[in-house]
Amino acid sequence: MSAAKGLLRDKVVLITGAAQGIGRETAVLAAEQGADLILADRSEIVEETAQAAQAAAQAERRELSVATVLADLETWDGAQKTAAAAGDIDVCINAVGGTIWAKPYDLYEPERIDAEIRRSLFPTLWMCRAVLPRMKERGAGTIVNVSSVATRGVNRVPYSAAKGGVNALTASLAMESAPAGVRVVATAPGGTEAPARRIRRGPGAQTEQEKAWFSEVVAQTVESSYLKRYGTLAEQAWPLVLLASDVASYINGTVLPVGGGDQG
C-alpha cells in the first residue's frame, strides 16, 4: 500500500490520539506522504510515535518537522492547549476514542455511560471547536474525524451514541463551515486488528459474563463485515490520509465507512 506518494506534501497535520492504534499508524503514513506533524495524546508514548514518523520520513529521504503535545482532550482546556501549541495547521485528524466496556445497555451504570460519551465524543467535539476559528480566519483547512461503524452494534450503546454524535457533528459542521473554506469529513472504521494496547481504555472483561458480552461484540463485528474479518491499521490509515489530502477536495460532510462493507 505504498504506491501513492506525496499526498500530504507541504501540509501541516495535527493528529490526536497519536500514541497508539489508528492515530499512530496515520501519523507514520502522513510522514511518509510528506506532512509535517503535531502529535497530541495524554500519554508520553506519543514521543515514540514521533520517532517512528521521523524514521518513515527519513526512509523517504525527507526532513520532517514533528512536535508533540501532552493534553487530556476529554476537556476543553486540553483542546485549547493543543490548538494553541499546534498554531497554523492545514489538517486536523481527530482519532481519540474507543469503547471502554461491553454490556447490554440496561446494565450500564450511569457513570460509565458518562465516561463513554466523554471518551468518544467530547475529544472530537472540543478539538473541532478549538481549531476551527483559525482555519476560518485563514480561509482554508480540513478536519477529518474518526467515527465508527459501531453506530449500529451490540453491547456498546453509549459508544454507539457517541460515534453517532461524531457523524452528526461532521455533517452539520461541514455545512456550516464550507463558506469559510473549511472541509469536514470522517471515516467510520470497522473492527481493526492492532497490537495490544499499552494504555488500556479500561479494566477489560473481568468476569466470564463480561467476556461473553465482549465476544458477542467481536462476533457481530465480523458478521456485519461483508469480508468477514477485521481490517488492518493500514486499511484504516490510508482513507484518513486520502480524505485529508487535496485529492479529496470535493468531498465534504461525508462519513466514509471503512468496515469491509458494514455501513454502520
Side-chain angles (χ1 to χ4, degrees):
M1 281 191 164
S2 58
K5 294 288 184 182
L7 285 174
L8 297 178
R9 184 177 294 117
D10 299 326
K11 301 284 189 187
V12 178
V13 179
L14 166 62
I15 302 175
T16 72
Q20 52 192 350
I22 291 173
R24 184 186 191 281
E25 186 80 8
T26 303
V28 174
L29 180 58
E32 291 176 353
Q33 291 296 318
D36 289 324
L37 300 173
I38 301 97
L39 307 177
D41 204 282
R42 62 184 178 188
S43 168
E44 292 182 355
I45 66 173
V46 72
E47 297 291 347
E48 296 179 20
T49 302
Q51 294 170 11
Q54 284 281 13
Q58 289 172 2
E60 296 296 321
R61 298 181 180 178
R62 62 172 292 259
E63 292 188 6
L64 171 70
S65 172
V66 57
T68 59
V69 183
L70 292 178
D72 181 358
L73 298 179
E74 292 182 13
T75 70
W76 171 236
D77 286 346
Q80 283 186 302
K81 172 186 175 181
T82 300
D88 288 343
I89 59 172
D90 300 294
V91 177
C92 175
I93 298 177
N94 292 310
V96 175
T99 188
I100 307 171
W101 297 282
K103 63 174 70 178
Y105 185 51
D106 55 298
L107 300 180
Y108 264 90
E109 299 85 352
E111 62 272 16
R112 289 190 173 185
I113 295 172
D114 180 77
E116 293 277 10
I117 299 298
R118 282 188 286 107
R119 174 66 55 82
S120 291
L121 174 58
F122 272 94
T124 301
L125 201 67
W126 291 140
M127 282 308 307
C128 286
R129 174 62 180 83
V131 302
L132 191 60
R134 185 60 182 140
M135 285 185 172
K136 292 176 74 171
E137 183 180 326
R138 298 175 68 204
T142 300
I143 296 171
V144 187
N145 298 323
V146 177
S147 180
S148 174
V149 299
T151 47
R152 298 185 185 216
V154 301
N155 294 348
R156 44 184 177 166
V157 167
Y159 174 72
S160 299
K163 290 303 189 178
V166 171
N167 290 353
L169 165 67
T170 299
S172 294
L173 189 58
M175 182 179 290
E176 183 177 288
S177 302
V182 178
R183 280 194 310 125
V184 187
V185 290
T187 67
T192 305
E193 293 180 350
R197 295 184 62 84
R198 294 170 60 186
I199 304 166
R200 298 174 66 87
R201 292 183 181 131
Q206 302 294 308
T207 68
E208 290 305 312
Q209 180 60 80
E210 289 173 343
K211 292 175 183 177
W213 285 328
F214 183 77
S215 294
E216 290 174 6
V217 171
V218 174
Q220 178 259 301
T221 300
V222 173
E223 182 60 29
S224 297
S225 169
Y226 297 176
L227 299 180
K228 306 305 179 193
R229 66 172 176 85
Y230 272 33
T232 67
L233 287 172
E235 287 173 324
Q236 299 301 339
W238 273 102
L240 287 165
V241 166
L242 177 65
L243 286 177
S245 75
D246 291 340
V247 172
S249 59
Y250 200 55
I251 299 174
N252 201 10
T254 296
V255 180
L256 174 65
V258 191
D262 187 345
Q263 301 299 299

